[in-house]
């Protein structure tokens, strides 16, 4: 979700590798081990959870998580939880990285010390304050100064135990000060509006009798205002601290007025007295990206260079291939390149060109496409994007069954449990492998056209280059089996085949199946030798029959036939997304209660349904053609976050997702699948219809046309399901990051052009087939990148000039207070 900034669109995304934890404190009981998992949180909102690693104080996770960030945030946080025998999860420690510090750790494996988790430090949100110092003349004629403090509102307060009933406590800090005043409690909201004013005397006349104020005047600059937010709790433990701010009165300056937003901060002594090293540490690799996307015309020179890549001779001299040469990892280049070429319908000629060049450089047919080359990474990424529905319809039913039935399939005698029988386990595993093998090898008709066209090109290039007849099969099988089906079986959650991570026993079953399927698809001549483990070699003897090799070859022949099949002709319902959410009753019964209930939602390419629980019959079914719009629902409607609405001809279905990332995912996929409906709305109501009127426009008719334009969304066609300008911006960013390598590559071209001797070692990493053509391309790339660099520099300079610290968009934080004081003094000097 982009944020518009004066013609510029800003996107946020984060890619995280959760490695491992070490030295977790032991459980305080006879069994010292713990069952730990890790969560990823935007501030305090959980958006991802790893699998549980049982019986370990050094759990290894090895999980990746990527998401588009749909809102502003202050901290990216990671929590380690322990699941105990009573299924009550307790937090062990956390890592909280401030947004402004994320670039310090960009792309680096970093060990973070776990910090203690306490209610006092779990702070988020901001508060709007107005301070005014005024003179008051008393009855005796003395001049007395009073500080008027207005607490206007708060935004984004944390929700504690499912509720937020906040109030503010305001006090003036100084010598012998103890005054404290409270606002009213605002019920069931984390965005409270207060508009309450409190008065404090800050200058006392000499006639004031109390001993502690026997000085004529207090030093205002030494005083500070303290505002703490609390959640009014009904529990016996007392109210919960939500955050606070300390405002030195010197901010009043000469004008005596201060109006600003503040980020709430934790209490200075809020943490528990726990030694940090006692909690252990967590290894993370964080890549946070902000894309600042300009209007499309700014990207025309670079975009045209990229899209022309397939036509450049040799292809190693093209702009896209050059990006793969200068990036540290080929994956960095492959992701935006594939998305850009898919968007413009040029992915097949581009991959065909780079694959043909790679095949011609390969000497041994047994090593074809075995390395992590730009070709391999681009095909991997294309299969992930184009083949997701194909995986859903092919593998999901059997993967669901394996995860639900929990049949024992361990065939390693060392790992066998006492209650299990080795032959029974082998038979269970054999049946699973047989069924998955059959659904894969009979699924050729469903393989997406773009994948078939790429496989056709691979097959032709390999067959032309090598005399070995099997190479035309292995060139395709190395992708479809090794890099597509096998990884999807191994980690179904990463391919959206399962909503959560499989339990350890199921994960082991899937690992054994994946190994076997991978070997079956490889068509290796000595397959048993492929296994290091003797028990796997023995198990594979079940499949040493010619019928398996024949089935693989027939399948590979089918999917490498260009342009024969069309994915759109599939009539079988494809499960696109499912999971628990909370929905509001639609009120079909006029007098029925419209309450909120947890339901299992399921979306296919035919219908959107919800069920009382997973596996039961549908309570309600909405045909895709009846979805007229899918839009967010304003939080004020029901005082609930992460809500959206599915608008139908007669009514709207209001749904609450579990977090902001999940809400965005549901909105995106529902919008995509209903994009081509003829009766889609152009306007909608962003708020609910309650108490006889729409909350947004106050119209009383429940059939009144919408008051806000629909946001539209992404088309269903995968070639259009990409923001071309954003991908070009990402490619610019990569070229800018690796500019020194571009210059080094230019030097390598010059060296190769004038020197025929052995290649210099510093230039040996580059593939340069034609130095003159490559140099021309590099010169054009550098020019296009420098032009965009100037645009970014101007944008940053203009934004810095317009940034007002203390505004709602840029609240004052613990590091920005001095910047605010300096900004205020500069503006005062200017105005004088």
């Amino acid at each position: 979700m982009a944020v518009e900034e004066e013609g510029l669109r800003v996107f946020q995304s984060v890619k995280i590798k959760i490695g491992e934890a070490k030295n977790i404190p032991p459980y305080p009981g006879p069994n010292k081990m713990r069952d730990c998992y890790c969560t990823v949180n935007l501030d305090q909102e959980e958006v991802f959870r790893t699998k549980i690693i049982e019986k370990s104080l050094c759990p290894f996770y090895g999980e990746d998580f990527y998401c588009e960030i749909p809102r502003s945030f202050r901290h990216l946080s990671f929590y380690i939880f322990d699941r105990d025998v009573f299924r009550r999860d307790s937090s062990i420690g956390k890592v909280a990285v401030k947004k402004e510090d994320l670039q310090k750790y960009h792309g680096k494996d970093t060990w973070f010390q776990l910090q203690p988790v306490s209610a006092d430090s779990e702070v988020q949100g901001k508060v709007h304050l107005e301070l005014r110092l005024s003179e008051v003349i008393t009855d005796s004629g003395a001049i007395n100064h009073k500080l008027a403090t207005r607490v206007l509102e708060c935004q984004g307060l944390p929700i504690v135990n499912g509720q937020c009933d906040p109030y503010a406590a305001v006090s003036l800090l100084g010598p012998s000060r103890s005054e404290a005043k409270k606002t009213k409690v605002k019920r069931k909201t984390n965005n409270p509006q207060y508009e309450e004013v409190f008065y404090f005397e800050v200058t006392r006349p000499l006639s004031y009798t109390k001993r502690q104020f026997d000085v004529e005047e207090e030093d205002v600059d030494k005083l500070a205002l303290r505002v703490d937010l609390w959640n009014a709790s009904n529990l016996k433990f007392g109210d919960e601290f939500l955050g606070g701010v300390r405002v030195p009165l010197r901010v009043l300056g000469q004008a005596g007025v201060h109006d600003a937003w503040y980020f709430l901060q934790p209490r200075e002594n809020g943490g528990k007295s726990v030694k940090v090293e006692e909690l252990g540490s967590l290894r993370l690799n964080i890549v946070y990206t902000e894309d600042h996307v300009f209007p499309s015309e700014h990207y025309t020179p670079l975009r045209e260079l990229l899209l022309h890549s397939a036509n450049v001779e040799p292809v190693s001299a093209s702009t896209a291939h050059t990006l793969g040469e200068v990036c540290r990892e080929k994956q960095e280049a492959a992701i935006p390149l594939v998305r850009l070429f898919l968007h413009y319908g040029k992915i097949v000629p581009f991959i065909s060109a780079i694959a043909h060049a790679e095949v011609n450089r390969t000497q041994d047919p047994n090593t074809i496409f075995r390395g992590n080359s730009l070709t391999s990474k681009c095909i991997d990424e294309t299969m992930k994007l184009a083949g997701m529905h194909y995986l859903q319809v092919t593998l999901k039913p059997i993967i669901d069954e394996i995860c639900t039935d929990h049949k024992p399939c361990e065939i390693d005698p060392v790992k066998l449990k006492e209650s299990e029988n080795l032959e029974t386990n082998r038979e269970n595993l054999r049946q699973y492998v047989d069924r998955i093998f059959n659904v894969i090898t009979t699924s050729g008709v469903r393989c997406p056209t773009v994948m078939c066209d790429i496989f056709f090109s691979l097959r032709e290039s390999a067959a032309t280059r090598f005399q070995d007849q099997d190479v035309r099969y292995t060139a395709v099988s190395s992708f479809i089996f090794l890099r597509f089906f096998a990884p999807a079986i191994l980690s179904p959650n990463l391919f959206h085949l399962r909503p959560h991570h499989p339990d350890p026993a199921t994960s082991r079953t899937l690992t054994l199946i994946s190994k076997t399927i991978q070997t079956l698809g490889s068509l290796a001549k000595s397959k048993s030798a492929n296994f290091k483990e003797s028990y796997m070699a023995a198990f594979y003897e079940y499949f040493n029959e010619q019928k398996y090799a024949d089935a693989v070859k027939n399948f590979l022949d089918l999917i490498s036939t260009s342009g024969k099949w069309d994915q759109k002709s599939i009539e079988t319902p494809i499960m696109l997304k499912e999971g628990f959410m909370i929905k509001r009753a639609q009120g079909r019964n006029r007098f029925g209660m419209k309450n909120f209930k947890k339901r299992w939602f399921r979306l296919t390419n035919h219908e959107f349904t919800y069920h009382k629980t997973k596996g039961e019959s549908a309570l309600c079914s909405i045909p895709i053609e009846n979805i007229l719009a899918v839009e967010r629902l304003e939080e004020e409607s029901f005082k609930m976050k992460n809500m959206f609405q599915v608008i139908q001809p007669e009514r709207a279905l209001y749904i609450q997702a579990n977090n902001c990332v999940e809400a965005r995912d549901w909105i995106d996929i529902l919008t995509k699948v209903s994009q081509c409906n003829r009766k889609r709305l152009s306007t909608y109501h962003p708020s609910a219809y309650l108490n006889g009127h729409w909350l947004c426009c106050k119209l009383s008719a429940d059939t009144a046309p919408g008051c806000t334009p629909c946001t539209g969304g992404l088309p269903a066609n995968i070639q259009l399901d990409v923001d071309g300008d954003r991908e070009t911006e990402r490619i610019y960013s990569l070229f800018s990051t690796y500019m020194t390598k571009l210059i080094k590559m230019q030097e390598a071209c010059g060296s190769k052009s004038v020197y025929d001797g052995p290649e210099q070692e510093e230039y040996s990493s580059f593939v340069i087939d034609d130095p003159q053509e490559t140099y021309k391309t590099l010169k054009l790339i550098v020019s296009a990148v420098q032009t965009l660099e100037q645009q970014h520099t101007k944008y940053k300079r203009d934004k810095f000039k317009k940034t007002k610290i203390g505004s709602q968009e840029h609240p004052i934080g613990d590091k920005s207070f001095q910047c605010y004081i300096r900004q205020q003094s500069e503006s005062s000097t200017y105005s004088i």
Side-chain angles (χ1 to χ4, degrees):
M1 182 174 293
V3 177
E4 295 283 345
E5 289 186 4
E6 299 180 7
L8 195 82
R9 292 177 297 137
V10 181
F11 297 87
Q12 302 177 101
S13 63
V14 66
K15 182 180 179 181
I16 302 163
K17 290 185 178 180
I18 304 172
E20 60 189 307
K22 66 180 181 181
N23 301 328
I24 299 295
Y27 189 79
N31 180 10
K32 304 294 185 182
M33 297 294 103
R34 292 182 183 268
D35 299 340
C36 294
Y37 63 90
C38 178
T39 68
V40 180
N41 295 53
L42 293 175
D43 297 317
Q44 290 185 24
E45 183 180 13
E46 181 183 322
V47 295
F48 178 72
R49 180 178 295 197
T50 69
K51 59 180 175 288
I52 296 170
I53 304 298
E54 297 181 335
K55 299 178 183 178
S56 175
L57 299 180
C58 296
F60 178 82
Y61 298 106
E63 296 201 36
D64 294 350
F65 171 66
Y66 172 86
C67 79
E68 299 283 333
I69 301 176
R71 63 170 176 85
S72 60
F73 68 101
R74 289 173 65 189
H75 294 90
L76 182 64
S77 302
F78 304 84
Y79 291 77
I80 298 292
F81 285 92
D82 177 30
R83 185 193 66 179
D84 64 26
V85 293
F86 302 106
R87 299 284 180 176
R88 293 177 301 190
D89 301 342
S90 56
S91 57
I92 296 172
K94 72 172 182 179
V95 172
V97 185
K98 292 183 178 179
K99 180 180 177 180
E100 57 266 29
D101 293 337
L102 286 171
Q103 286 302 321
K104 294 180 186 177
Y105 311 106
H106 186 88
K108 302 173 187 173
D109 266 11
T110 307
W111 281 99
F112 293 89
Q113 291 289 338
L114 290 173
Q115 304 294 327
V117 178
S118 67
D120 286 338
S121 66
E122 296 293 283
V123 170
Q124 67 181 53
K126 54 191 176 182
V127 60
H128 187 190
L129 303 174
E130 182 185 292
L131 281 61
R132 188 179 298 272
L133 191 65
S134 56
E135 292 183 351
V136 178
I137 301 176
T138 64
D139 294 339
S140 61
I143 298 177
N144 193 0
H145 287 82
K146 285 194 174 183
L147 175 69
T149 302
R150 174 178 290 173
V151 182
L152 290 96
E153 61 177 310
C154 296
Q155 288 187 356
L157 298 180
I159 296 174
V160 182
N161 297 323
Q163 68 156 22
C164 189
D165 298 333
Y167 68 89
V170 185
S171 55
L172 191 62
L173 308 177
S176 305
R177 289 279 185 175
S178 60
E179 300 169 89
K181 303 176 182 183
K182 297 179 181 179
T183 66
K184 295 177 182 177
V185 175
K186 299 294 181 180
R187 299 289 178 184
K188 297 181 180 179
T189 177
N190 65 339
N191 297 313
Q193 303 278 334
Y194 292 110
E195 293 288 350
E196 294 190 41
V197 183
F198 303 99
Y199 294 94
F200 299 91
E201 291 186 3
V202 295
T203 304
R204 314 276 186 175
L206 281 173
S207 57
Y208 199 86
T209 56
K210 288 191 178 179
R211 184 183 302 171
Q212 64 263 38
F213 298 116
D214 57 1
V215 293
E216 179 180 354
E217 201 171 274
E218 292 177 297
D219 186 351
V220 173
D221 283 351
K222 292 182 179 179
L223 296 176
L225 188 78
R226 179 81 196 180
V227 180
D228 290 330
L229 273 296
W230 296 83
N231 180 50
S233 174
N234 296 323
L235 302 175
K236 61 181 179 181
F237 305 110
D239 297 346
E240 294 99 348
F241 178 72
L242 300 179
V245 294
R246 186 180 183 276
V247 185
L249 293 197
R250 58 193 175 96
V251 300
L252 292 166
Q254 296 291 330
V257 178
H258 175 64
D259 184 342
W261 283 84
Y262 281 83
F263 278 127
L264 295 175
Q265 304 293 337
R267 284 196 289 202
E268 294 173 2
N269 60 346
K272 298 177 182 177
S273 58
V274 178
K275 290 183 180 179
V276 169
E277 60 268 20
E278 292 180 358
L279 298 177
S281 54
L282 179 65
R283 180 167 61 87
L284 301 167
N285 188 307
I286 305 170
V287 177
Y288 170 73
T289 307
E290 270 192 24
D291 295 324
H292 295 81
V293 182
F294 292 102
S296 187
E297 60 270 15
H298 292 276
Y299 298 104
T300 301
L302 181 57
R303 182 172 57 242
E304 289 181 349
L305 282 173
L306 289 162
L307 295 178
H308 186 60
S309 293
N311 302 321
V312 174
E313 288 287 347
V315 73
S316 61
S318 68
T319 303
H321 193 278
T322 300
L323 181 66
E325 289 299 295
V326 299
C327 284
R328 185 177 59 185
E329 295 181 4
K330 303 296 184 187
Q331 184 77 2
E332 281 185 294
I335 292 172
L337 284 175
V338 166
R339 295 175 69 84
L340 182 73
F341 283 113
L342 269 173
H343 179 65
Y344 287 100
K346 296 194 173 185
I347 189 65
V348 175
F350 170 64
I351 288 182
S352 297
I354 60 175
H356 184 71
E358 182 174 332
V359 168
N360 287 339
R361 285 193 294 268
T362 304
Q363 301 302 317
D364 183 357
N366 293 317
T367 62
I368 193 167
F369 299 127
R370 290 297 173 91
N372 288 322
S373 63
L374 182 64
T375 305
S376 297
K377 293 300 182 182
C378 283
I379 295 175
D380 288 352
E381 193 62 27
T382 303
M383 291 192 299
K384 285 180 185 176
L385 289 171
M388 200 58 68
H389 291 175
Y390 178 37
L391 278 178
Q392 292 277 347
V393 74
T394 305
L395 290 183
K396 183 168 175 56
I398 182 66
I399 294 292
D400 283 344
E401 183 181 326
I402 293 169
C403 294
T404 303
D405 289 355
H406 301 291
K407 287 183 179 179
C409 294
E410 181 57 71
I411 58 172
D412 182 356
V414 177
K415 296 181 179 180
L416 204 67
K417 295 179 181 178
E418 289 185 9
S419 60
E420 294 178 356
N421 178 277
L422 184 60
E423 288 305 316
T424 302
N425 289 10
R426 280 179 177 164
E427 180 59 20
N428 289 341
L429 185 62
R430 188 193 66 77
Q431 288 182 11
Y432 280 147
V433 170
D434 247 338
R435 289 175 60 191
I436 287 183
F437 179 81
N438 287 332
V439 296
I440 290 174
T441 53
T442 57
S443 69
V445 66
R446 301 188 183 97
C447 188
T449 304
V450 67
M451 289 171 61
C452 292
D453 289 344
I454 290 171
F455 295 150
F456 173 76
S457 175
L458 299 182
R459 177 178 174 148
E460 291 297 299
S461 294
T464 303
R465 175 78 171 85
F466 299 106
Q467 298 301 314
D468 186 349
Q469 288 297 310
D470 283 342
V471 75
R472 59 198 177 114
Y473 293 115
T474 56
V476 179
S477 69
S478 62
F479 287 104
I480 195 70
F481 281 101
L482 183 66
R483 297 171 179 265
F484 187 61
F485 284 122
I489 295 166
L490 184 65
S491 303
N493 54 293
L494 298 182
F495 290 80
H496 308 293
L497 297 177
R498 293 289 297 173
H500 301 293
H501 304 284
D503 60 79
T506 305
S507 185
R508 172 66 175 165
T509 298
L510 294 174
T511 300
L512 296 172
I513 295 171
S514 180
K515 280 185 176 183
T516 312
I517 291 295
Q518 182 177 318
T519 307
L520 278 168
S522 68
L523 293 172
K525 296 198 168 47
S526 178
K527 294 178 181 178
S528 295
N530 289 349
F531 296 107
K532 298 176 184 177
E533 308 93 341
S534 57
Y535 62 86
M536 283 300 297
F539 173 70
Y540 196 79
E541 290 301 319
Y542 284 122
F543 306 98
N544 260 338
E545 296 182 35
Q546 187 60 35
K547 67 177 183 179
Y548 290 101
D550 291 343
V552 170
K553 287 184 177 181
N554 289 338
F555 170 68
L556 296 175
D557 282 335
L558 190 58
I559 65 171
S560 56
T561 303
S562 179
K564 188 172 181 180
W565 308 105
D566 186 358
Q567 187 182 15
K568 294 178 182 177
S569 66
I570 304 169
E571 293 300 325
T572 307
I574 299 171
M575 210 293 296
L576 303 176
K577 190 172 177 63
E578 59 182 349
F580 276 112
M581 291 190 289
I582 295 172
K583 66 97 185 174
R584 182 176 186 259
Q586 298 185 75
R588 293 185 187 83
N589 184 343
R590 186 185 182 103
F591 301 102
M593 290 182 64
K594 294 187 178 180
N595 53 359
F596 290 88
K597 292 184 178 179
K598 189 174 183 180
R599 293 289 183 253
W600 180 264
F601 284 82
R602 191 170 189 272
L603 174 67
T604 72
N605 56 333
H606 290 181
E607 60 182 355
F608 182 48
T609 60
Y610 61 79
H611 315 246
K612 191 168 184 178
T613 189
K614 185 179 179 181
E616 292 193 4
S617 58
L619 297 174
C620 176
S621 172
I622 304 172
I624 295 302
E625 57 268 24
N626 282 0
I627 298 178
L628 306 184
V630 184
E631 300 287 348
R632 292 188 177 274
L633 188 70
E634 289 185 355
E635 187 178 329
E636 288 70 23
S637 296
F638 300 107
K639 309 297 183 188
M640 296 168 70
K641 300 173 80 70
N642 305 318
M643 290 202 71
F644 63 95
Q645 51 184 319
V646 179
I647 304 171
Q648 309 161 66
E650 301 296 328
R651 61 180 68 86
L653 175 60
Y654 299 133
I655 302 172
Q656 183 188 35
N658 295 314
N659 57 60
C660 63
V661 173
E662 191 173 298
R664 179 187 57 78
D665 288 346
W666 274 106
I667 292 170
D668 281 353
I669 196 165
L670 280 162
T671 300
K672 277 186 243 179
V673 79
S674 62
Q675 187 73 29
C676 299
N677 289 352
R678 295 178 182 177
K679 296 182 180 179
R680 279 189 64 85
L681 298 177
S682 57
T683 59
Y684 77 107
H685 292 284
S687 293
Y689 183 82
L690 293 175
N691 301 321
H693 67 274
W694 293 100
L695 298 182
C696 43
C697 58
K698 309 304 179 187
L699 293 176
S700 58
D702 59 356
T703 57
C707 57
T708 303
C710 287
T711 54
L714 299 172
N717 187 337
I718 189 171
Q719 291 187 351
L720 301 176
D721 189 5
V722 171
D723 187 326
D725 294 335
R726 184 182 181 187
E727 301 310 324
T728 312
E729 167 64 28
R730 285 180 169 179
I731 291 169
Y732 148 76
S733 182
L734 288 170
F735 274 134
S736 180
T737 301
Y738 295 109
M739 180 58 75
T740 54
K741 279 196 172 183
L742 282 173
I743 303 303
K744 184 78 73 178
M745 200 169 176
Q746 282 184 314
E747 294 173 2
C749 290
S751 174
K752 285 198 170 193
S753 296
V754 298
Y755 180 63
D756 292 331
E759 190 173 31
Q760 295 184 41
E761 186 175 347
E762 62 178 322
Y763 302 142
S764 61
S765 61
F766 300 120
V767 175
I768 302 174
D769 296 322
D770 187 327
Q772 291 184 340
E773 282 299 318
T774 304
Y775 187 84
K776 288 179 187 177
T777 300
L778 287 165
K779 192 173 180 181
L780 293 170
I781 293 171
V782 170
S783 174
V785 169
Q786 288 176 342
T787 302
L788 280 167
E789 191 77 57
Q790 292 170 2
Q791 292 290 335
H792 279 275
T793 302
K794 182 178 182 300
Y795 162 73
K796 291 175 183 175
R797 186 170 58 244
D798 292 346
K799 184 179 180 182
F800 180 77
K801 288 180 180 177
K802 294 175 183 177
T803 298
K804 182 185 176 185
I805 299 173
S807 64
Q808 187 174 354
E809 294 77 20
H810 302 281
I812 299 171
D814 54 349
K815 290 185 178 180
S816 59
F817 182 75
Q818 293 302 325
C819 295
Y820 173 80
I821 295 295
R822 186 165 60 251
Q823 193 180 69
Q824 292 302 107
S825 62
E826 288 173 358
S827 63
S828 299
T829 304
Y830 179 78
S831 61
I832 291 170

